[in-house]
Amino acid sequence: MPTTLDRIDRALLAALQDNARLTIAELADQVSLTTSPCWRRVKQLEEQGYITGYQATLSPKSLGFGVTAFVSIMMDSHTKDMARAFEKRLMEIPEIVACHHISGRYDFLLEILARDLESFGEFAREVLQRLPGVKEIYSSFSYKAVKERRIIPVSENHI
Amino acid sequence: MPTTLDRIDRALLAALQDNARLTIAELADQVSLTTSPCWRRVKQLEEQGYITGYQATLSPKSLGFGVTAFVSIMMDSHTKDMARAFEKRLMEIPEIVACHHISGRYDFLLEILARDLESFGEFAREVLQRLPGVKEIYSSFSYKAVKERRIIPVSENHI
DNA sequence: GGTGAAAGCGAGGACCA
DNA sequence: TGGTCCTCGCTTTCACC
């Protein structure tokens, strides 16, 4: 399915990544197309998996989350069951907004939101330390999000 | 401005975080309101900064990025000028999709997309090592994104 | 791949409760 | 606040190039 993307497809992806609420008419205008082919292309990009969803970006601070923490976790053992239990438990905890299984000294890298440092401390003690299979935890706090929109490059140079 | 959010506002935020392309009519339906008040609430949530934007979520893999790397960077010195030069340069590099200034042993944590490991190696040598003020770099690769949608909790329990 | 038209629906505003 | 109504423009899907 992943047919190759032409200039117009890439322009559509860039435009929608910047503003997911653009109407088809506005999009068509930006890429110099009429609405029908523009609409078909967007549908195709969705069906072929280039676009996986549309999300409103919320402000953590406005919602009461003053602290973003990055937590590195080392596991006791590295069995498949252990990893599965750990990952399953993670999915239930909304404060953990991202998690990657990673290479290197630690096994998982988590991104966590908390109201403040005190509430993070409690969360670390009561929740993180009790996750199945955890051996060691290293926490680091974000002083400032220098770049956080996670804009994926779509221009051809990068491929 | 940040007036407090009631149940309906939170439901709207949750719905739009899940699908930013919902129409006002669909949203109104989900929260049992008619379109006008629903529309007014969404506009308010945007104006008051709870919603900072709407983004299409793209698939890095489909776009040719097979590797997600987390790079920790230690700086030479910690002057304000140094940090500014470093941050300014970061903003110009699209492969760096996120960056936080952090506490702890390292100063910055970057998230980087690359085609493959080889191309990341080149990027690390040619770009990262040459960023202004860099003293030490530690790279770690994501084997698997266990959770990556960065859904910010909006239910009242968390506040 | 592209155009153009038609039917139906949503957006956004004025106004009332 | 929430609801009604109204108008304009957009979305979506045709048939066709």
Side-chain angles (χ1 to χ4, degrees):
Chain A
M1 290 113 237
T3 53
T4 64
L5 301 173
D6 63 15
R7 238 144 281 107
I8 297 179
D9 289 321
R10 289 175 193 279
L12 290 174
L13 291 176
L16 284 171
Q17 197 171 18
D18 185 61
N19 180 4
R21 294 204 64 115
L22 287 174
T23 64
I24 298 292
E26 287 165 330
L27 273 172
D29 213 52
Q30 281 193 30
V31 301
S32 305
L33 231 56
T34 51
T35 61
S36 300
C38 181
W39 182 81
R40 279 198 300 246
R41 276 171 184 266
V42 172
K43 286 298 148 212
Q44 264 188 45
L45 291 170
E46 291 170 357
E47 278 158 24
Q48 294 175 348
Y50 291 102
I51 298 174
T52 55
Y54 299 94
Q55 273 189 240
T57 308
L58 308 186
S59 156
K61 201 164 247 165
S62 297
L63 287 161
F65 298 105
V67 166
T68 300
F70 295 95
V71 176
S72 303
I73 293 189
M74 193 187 294
M75 304 294 283
D76 263 343
S77 73
H78 297 83
T79 65
K80 207 158 190 181
D81 281 353
M82 198 60 116
R84 228 194 302 266
F86 179 80
E87 293 177 16
K88 189 174 166 218
R89 179 72 185 95
L90 278 187
M91 301 308 285
E92 304 165 358
I93 306 172
E95 289 90 341
I96 301 175
V97 295
C99 168
H100 283 259
H101 181 196
I102 57 170
S103 70
R105 181 166 151 69
Y106 289 96
D107 297 301
F108 290 93
L109 175 62
L110 318 189
E111 181 174 347
I112 293 174
L113 297 181
R115 192 170 356 106
D116 49 34
L117 279 180
E118 184 182 342
S119 117
F120 176 81
E122 193 188 318
F123 183 78
R125 239 185 312 111
E126 304 295 331
V127 180
L128 296 180
Q129 294 282 2
R130 294 179 186 176
L131 287 171
V134 167
K135 180 176 170 192
E136 189 190 320
I137 288 183
Y138 173 75
S139 300
S140 171
F141 301 98
S142 172
Y143 293 132
K144 178 188 172 193
V146 179
K147 204 177 196 179
E148 67 170 350
R149 281 193 73 206
R150 293 180 43 88
I151 299 295
I152 295 170
V154 293
S155 69
E156 298 179 76
N157 317 328
H158 303 287
I159 301 215
Chain B
M1 296 108 241
T3 53
T4 64
L5 301 173
D6 62 16
R7 238 143 280 109
I8 296 179
D9 289 321
R10 290 174 192 280
L12 290 173
L13 291 176
L16 284 171
Q17 197 171 17
D18 186 61
N19 181 6
R21 294 205 64 120
L22 287 173
T23 65
I24 297 292
E26 287 165 330
L27 272 172
D29 214 51
Q30 281 193 31
V31 302
S32 305
L33 232 55
T34 51
T35 60
S36 297
C38 181
W39 181 80
R40 281 194 299 248
R41 276 172 183 266
V42 172
K43 286 299 147 209
Q44 264 188 46
L45 291 170
E46 291 169 357
E47 279 158 22
Q48 293 175 348
Y50 291 103
I51 297 174
T52 56
Y54 299 94
Q55 274 189 240
T57 308
L58 307 187
S59 156
K61 201 165 248 166
S62 298
L63 286 160
F65 298 105
V67 166
T68 300
F70 294 96
V71 176
S72 302
I73 293 188
M74 193 187 294
M75 304 294 281
D76 263 343
S77 74
H78 296 85
T79 66
K80 208 159 190 180
D81 281 351
M82 197 60 116
R84 230 195 300 267
F86 179 80
E87 292 177 17
K88 188 175 167 216
R89 179 73 184 96
L90 278 187
M91 300 308 285
E92 304 164 358
I93 306 171
E95 288 90 342
I96 301 175
V97 295
C99 169
H100 283 258
H101 181 197
I102 56 171
S103 70
R105 179 165 153 70
Y106 289 95
D107 297 301
F108 290 92
L109 176 61
L110 318 188
E111 181 173 348
I112 292 175
L113 297 181
R115 190 169 358 105
D116 49 32
L117 278 180
E118 186 183 340
S119 117
F120 177 80
E122 194 189 318
F123 183 80
R125 239 186 312 111
E126 304 295 330
V127 181
L128 296 180
Q129 293 283 2
R130 294 179 186 177
L131 287 171
V134 167
K135 180 175 170 191
E136 188 190 320
I137 287 184
Y138 174 75
S139 301
S140 172
F141 301 98
S142 171
Y143 293 131
K144 178 188 172 193
V146 179
K147 204 178 197 180
E148 67 171 350
R149 281 192 73 204
R150 295 181 41 88
I151 299 294
I152 295 170
V154 293
S155 68
E156 299 179 77
N157 317 328
H158 303 288
I159 302 216

